[in-house]
Amino acid sequence: MVRSTAVRQGAVLDVSPAGDRAEDSLDEAVGRALAGLLERQLEALEFLGEHTHSFVEPLRQFVLGRGKRLRPKLVYWGYRGAGGPAAGATARAALRLGCAIELVHAFALIQDDIMDGSRERRFKPAVHVSFENLHRRERWRGDPARFGEAAGLLVADLAFILGDAAVTAAELPPARSAEVWRVFNELRLHLTGGQYLDVIQPCLGRPTEREARRIALYKSARYTVEGPLRLGHAAAGGPLELAATYTAYGNGLGEAFQLRDDVLGVFGDPEVTGKPAGDDIREGKQTMLVLLAGERAGTTGRKLLDAALGRQDVTAEQLDQVRELIVRTGALDEVNRMIDELVLRAKRAVCADGALEEPVRDALVRLADRAAYRAT
């Protein structure tokens, strides 16, 4: 049986046991909490007058629209696994921490689209492209593309700031608050440093497998899985040994999540993912998929990869040839095998004797499958 109760401000959630309805309840509660946070915090921008709507609406649509909300769910179940009650003040705090990590995720995606030159996200123009389009519609002076990137960066900054506001709104006791801030700041440092590794790697040439896995770990894995779980753990004041369990689960699933993202970046269906296929090739990303294909291909195959990687004008035919090479060399099968092994490692961490009880264990097992084998 699933029970859920929600309060308009803070959206208290009581979920037991885990399941599809529980996940739906979490989605709804996070959405309400995010909407309330944006409504309260964005009042401070009313001085923008007629420009207020054009500035804040892209962020509102981004965080309240279509998204998996994996990270807020992991915050919640990390909190519950650490002994946090399903309702009350600390449950509201966990929900607000989920909002904080969702806003950090928005910050990262908006900046990532600018850095990568991506034009679409979630079946819509990327945030910076929406500003570029606004500039053209209004026939303003200057370069629309430059305006779009500048405004997009500011919206990313806004999301980052609101993440801090969400943590502050959690109103945890001082000792727990200090630990939450420590985890939250470490998470953002790892994300930023990992993103820099991702930016600098194409300048240095083909990475080693170890380097590619390090990029995946810090750019995505840590802030996608382990960080949210540890935020929930800190909110509940959980035991140290459980933090080690969360790290083992987080490192395994986090890397699997990024590897799946790499697969979707080359083979994903735009009708499902909401963004063009082949962007990783255009951006010249040396993902594990590309790295393995390059190692296993002959001279002709490596020349084909080198001719396509990092080329914004790469043709559909070249992209198809790259996909065929990745399949033919067994790189796709190998990455899928790695994903299977990493997911199994994550599940073993939370299913070990005494590690976690229901409904938390079941929720984390289900989230592992949904994160690692997703189609978007």
Side-chain angles (χ1 to χ4, degrees), residues 27-75:
D27 282 342
E28 292 166 7
V30 171
R32 285 191 292 269
L34 276 168
L37 176 76
L38 292 177
E39 183 178 355
R40 292 189 297 275
Q41 294 294 327
L42 294 178
E43 288 179 358
L45 290 172
E46 289 182 355
F47 70 90
L48 291 173
E50 63 179 309
H51 302 300
T52 305
H53 182 270
S54 67
F55 183 48
V56 304
E57 191 59 23
L59 179 62
R60 196 190 311 274
Q61 290 189 17
F62 197 89
V63 299
L64 298 181
R66 181 170 179 164
K68 291 177 284 295
R69 289 187 178 150
L70 169 67
R71 295 160 188 83
K73 291 172 186 174
L74 288 167
V75 171

Side-chain angles (χ1 to χ4, degrees), residues 125-260:
V127 168
H128 68 285
V129 176
S130 71
F131 279 108
E132 181 181 327
N133 295 339
L134 171 66
H135 187 287
R136 288 197 173 93
R137 285 197 307 272
E138 298 297 325
R139 298 183 179 179
W140 288 337
R141 297 176 182 177
D143 180 2
R146 183 158 186 165
F147 169 79
E149 290 184 358
L153 287 172
L154 290 172
V155 171
D157 289 343
L158 180 60
F160 193 87
I161 294 164
L162 291 177
D164 278 9
V167 175
T168 301
E171 297 181 339
L172 288 162
R176 292 187 186 180
S177 181
E179 178 62 9
V180 163
W181 278 110
R182 188 190 70 77
V183 172
F184 191 55
N185 288 331
E186 182 182 79
L187 174 156
R188 294 184 295 179
L189 284 169
H190 285 167
L191 165 62
T192 304
Q195 192 73 316
Y196 181 67
L197 287 176
D198 193 48
V199 168
I200 199 173
Q201 189 59 62
C203 305
L204 304 177
R206 195 182 303 275
T208 63
E209 180 175 333
R210 181 178 179 182
E211 289 168 338
R213 297 188 83 152
R214 181 174 63 145
I215 293 170
L217 178 65
Y218 285 99
K219 178 194 173 185
S220 179
R222 286 281 171 86
Y223 101 93
T224 294
V225 185
E226 182 192 4
L229 285 171
R230 290 182 59 201
L231 275 179
H233 177 272
L240 287 177
E241 58 269 23
L242 181 58
T245 297
Y246 284 165
T247 294
Y249 174 89
N251 286 347
L253 180 57
E255 189 175 355
F257 181 93
Q258 181 58 51
L259 289 174
R260 180 61 180 165

